[in-house]
Amino acid sequence: MSEPMIKTEIQGRVGLVTLNRAKVLNALSNELIDEVAQAMRDFDANDDIGAIVLTGSEKAFAAGADIAAMKDWSYADVYKQDYLGHNWESLRRIRKPVIAAVSGFALGGGCELAMQCDFIIAGENAKFGQPEIKLGIIPGYGGTQRLPRAMGKAKAMDMILTARMIGAQEAEQAGLVARVVPTEKVLEEAMAAAAVIASMPLPAVMMAKESINRAYESPLNEGLLFERRNFHALFSTHDQKEGMNAFVEKREAKFRHE
Ligand code: HXC
């Protein structure tokens, strides 16, 4: 059996997935994404996990799809295997929050993988870019769709057409990144944020994520209705009763995540 391309661990109620192909700056392949998707599905199904963190190494979150592996492929090759398609789609179906802890390069598919997560915490050394144009291709896992939604058309066009990399500060100002922290603190900060999320009532967390994602996929009136129905539904949960009673009784809430 070949070496696993990721490492996983559980800390409290947080599941951590670490990309582990440091020699090639965590270059992505179907196999690597299969492993990531499997690990995330396992965490998603585990009642003792409330949030997930995805990270890489200090030098690279991921430097994109594996260029050496794909350079000679034909159209039929990439089409038939739905290259970086089918298994990446399963990442979209993870229902618990996923935070990307990004240090170093997040390029091409690496930037897209980070954007696929629910939010990004970046180290000061992070560099985001979509350099596919230099290889004669375009982003293939959402870059042309998620980048303009995150940063607006002008910045997305600039990055995708010129292949310009941007640093963590620019990415934060543009809205791509939620927080920038000292590089050596990225994982710690992301794990702490995930622990906070994992301490919150899980049904509310999952419905909040689902409702925010609707903002990208439906007209405003549909999104507002979706949010309101989820809001109403939460009144059927234990944690809503516990959270509100604890507030009124001025005590700490004891959530059961149900
Ligand atoms: C395969 C890669 C790689 C990649 C780096 N490596 N990126 N191998 N695919 N995407 C390998 C290098 O070949 C090298 O291997 C080792 O990792 C270290 O990289 P260096 O280039 O020596 O490091 P450095 O000089 O510091 O430059 C870092 C870098 C550069 C700026 C990140 O590696 C780079 O430009 N990488 C390619 C980035 C890119 O074009 N990404 C988009 C890919 S297309 P050796 O064996 O020489 O030590 C894509 C499409 C996605 O992502 C669409 C669908 C999802």
Side-chain angles (χ1 to χ4, degrees), residues 2-227:
S2 52
E3 284 279 290
M5 297 183 184
I6 62 166
K7 289 189 290 193
T8 60
E9 64 180 271
I10 295 175
Q11 287 182 22
R13 286 179 48 78
V14 177
L16 171 63
V17 180
T18 305
L19 306 179
N20 192 29
R21 290 186 84 197
K23 270 197 203 127
V24 285
L25 308 185
N26 291 325
L28 304 168
S29 62
N30 271 339
E31 293 70 28
L32 177 107
I33 295 299
D34 274 341
E35 288 185 23
V36 172
Q38 186 58 53
M40 291 218 185
R41 278 195 299 270
D42 290 347
F43 286 149
D44 216 28
N46 183 339
D47 281 343
D48 297 328
I49 300 278
I52 301 165
V53 172
L54 176 64
T55 196
S57 67
E58 188 172 325
K59 179 161 182 198
F61 176 74
D66 192 328
I67 302 168
M70 68 183 163
K71 70 182 181 38
D72 295 325
W73 285 344
S74 66
Y75 171 68
D77 292 332
V78 288
Y79 179 76
K80 281 195 293 187
Q81 59 171 307
D82 195 11
Y83 182 56
L84 298 187
H86 72 280
N87 47 11
W88 289 58
E89 284 302 311
S90 67
L91 290 177
R92 285 184 66 198
R93 291 197 280 275
I94 301 302
R95 299 175 73 211
K96 291 172 184 167
V98 182
I99 302 175
V102 175
S103 302
F105 296 108
L107 302 179
C111 185
E112 293 170 301
L113 181 60
M115 286 194 284
Q116 157 76 66
C117 299
D118 295 309
F119 64 93
I120 299 172
I121 295 183
E124 281 161 347
N125 78 341
K127 287 210 177 319
F128 298 87
Q130 298 286 165
E132 286 93 338
I133 204 93
K134 291 199 290 186
L135 301 169
I137 55 171
I138 64 171
Y141 186 61
T144 66
Q145 305 303 302
R146 290 202 176 94
L147 211 53
R149 280 171 167 81
M151 328 170 75
K153 177 181 162 187
K155 285 249 174 212
M157 285 281 187
D158 180 4
M159 285 178 66
I160 291 171
L161 298 179
T162 70
R164 181 171 77 88
M165 280 189 230
I166 62 170
Q169 299 297 348
E170 186 176 351
E172 187 191 25
Q173 278 159 14
L176 180 64
V177 157
R179 308 181 195 176
V180 178
V181 300
T183 301
E184 66 281 5
K185 293 254 188 278
V186 171
L187 187 56
E188 191 183 320
E189 184 91 0
M191 292 299 284
V196 168
I197 292 169
S199 74
M200 301 296 178
L202 185 60
V205 165
M206 291 171 72
M207 286 194 200
K209 166 171 170 162
E210 199 179 23
S211 300
I212 293 168
N213 282 333
R214 277 285 156 135
Y216 290 103
E217 286 154 15
S218 51
L220 182 60
N221 58 345
E222 292 296 327
L224 290 171
L225 181 62
F226 187 85
E227 177 199 74

